[in-house]
Amino acid sequence: MVTIIVLFFGPANAEMVKIPWHTSTQSSPWIPGNEYIDGWSKNFMNGTVEENGKVKVGGELQAEMIRPHGTKGPIPFVLMLHGCSGAREWNFASDYGEKLVRAGYGILVLDSFATRGLGPDGVCSDPSQLNWARRRADDAYAALDWLIDQKIADSKHVYVVGRSNGATTTLIIMNRVIGDLHEHMFAGGFAMQPSCYLMKNVEFYAPVHLFLAEKDEATSPALCGQMAESKRAIPVQVTLWKRAYHAFEDHYSVHIFHGYHIGHNAAAAQGTIKAIIADLNAARKATR
């Protein structure tokens, strides 16, 4: 059983919410010929090993929503996506979430795993992580629609911040091919140590900022750098943190996890959230 860690801090209103997940009815491919196309699923519980062979066309996702005290009406929001471990990573959401709320943004911390019966290791040992990232993109759009439909979020100012598998999900979310299938779109995406496999020629519909770790052994910073350098209508911004490993935002010492080094790097962790907030503030100022 996956446990949600409740995030609560001073100047904010926190509440647990349930988000109805979408069932995909579109049949357009993500990338023609992509061997991971089975990630484009007509439903989320379609008989994968992680779902214990279950098939379920609808359900709810758990999330924690936190808004600054005193806010009324739709406000700018940030959707936060965990990595392959799921709820084990909520310290990242607590740390970054607190800073985002104090900066005046609402946050929605979305759990893609708890209601789908995944164990404490999430999908970290699953070879089909790109499939999962594609499936989780639909989770993000379900959350976006819910925030807007409930008149909680400003439809023009909802952003997504993802780490690791959630960062790969972020790149898929921001893919114009995927975005064009949805009524609402995100204003921008921030991807912390994503996999950029098969992403080189993807066109994004809004700004994307990559935060990479020089010593990342789990996802290739070089591949992401090559992706960012390829010409596209909306350029990709890249920040590469020197001497940082995968999961640099987590507050534990560097150690081996599933065969690669992960662990904290203070400069990368603090610099990333400062850069995200700076980008968000600049976008808000530009639209006033």
Side-chain angles (χ1 to χ4, degrees), residues 119-143:
D121 195 37
V123 298
C124 292
S125 58
D126 188 335
S128 63
Q129 281 207 42
L130 188 53
N131 296 16
W132 267 97
R134 171 61 192 90
R135 292 152 61 83
R136 293 181 63 201
D138 280 347
D139 289 354
Y141 279 104

Side-chain angles (χ1 to χ4, degrees), residues 29 40 47 72 99 112 125 150 152 176 184 194 202 209 239 248:
W40 182 267
K72 296 180 180 179
K99 293 178 174 64
S112 287
S125 58
Q150 297 295 315
I152 294 170
R176 179 169 293 282
H184 301 117
V202 169
H209 193 157
T239 299
F248 58 67

